[in-house]
Amino acid sequence: MSERTDEGAGPSEYVERVLETAEAIPPGRVMTYGDVAEWLDEGGPRQVGRVMALYGGAVPWWRVVRSDGRLLPGHELRALAHYREEGTPLREAARSAEGHVPRVDMRRARWDGAPAGK
């Protein structure tokens, strides 16, 4: 799958669809990379992760997460600030966890794509 349509032509339709999906996730909720791929019925977690790494800065990137709820390495503090601001459910880190950084509570925070109130 190509991420660009033509040399220098900008992001492909797939990239646009991934970014639109990230933008659709409500504040305080998350989808995994695999959830996004399944929602789009195209690609897989790695393809979604690549799109988010290259183009995700313009969308709420912190709402697309690893399936285990661990925060994106190198961006933990920025993501954590967003999660706290949006009221995203978190699981406090065990004292033995490196850096004591919480994880997203996937059971409570995961969004299935359904409109609010449904």
Side-chain angles (χ1 to χ4, degrees):
M1 160 184 10
S2 172
E3 291 166 354
R4 293 190 172 269
T5 52
D6 293 322
E7 190 67 34
S12 70
E13 181 181 332
Y14 180 73
V15 169
E16 295 296 335
R17 291 176 63 216
V18 168
L19 298 178
E20 287 169 4
T21 302
E23 288 180 320
I25 302 169
R29 304 300 298 274
V30 299
M31 289 180 95
T32 68
Y33 297 106
D35 291 341
V36 172
E38 186 177 324
W39 177 257
L40 296 174
D41 199 27
E42 184 178 355
R46 289 181 184 211
Q47 288 82 10
V48 171
R50 177 115 173 109
V51 169
M52 294 303 294
L54 293 174
Y55 302 100
V59 298
W61 53 268
W62 58 92
R63 295 182 192 154
V64 182
V65 300
R66 296 168 51 135
S67 62
D68 63 4
R70 282 193 287 162
L71 307 190
L72 185 63
H75 300 280
E76 297 94 342
L77 296 179
R78 286 180 43 215
L80 192 54
H82 288 293
Y83 296 140
R84 288 185 170 147
E85 180 181 321
E86 294 182 354
T88 306
L90 299 171
R91 293 178 51 211
E92 289 305 317
R95 292 187 188 270
S96 61
E98 186 177 332
H100 304 291
V101 177
R103 292 182 182 205
V104 172
D105 184 337
M106 295 304 293
R107 187 180 57 76
R108 294 175 35 221
R110 199 173 204 163
W111 185 58
D112 63 5
K118 299 273 178 179

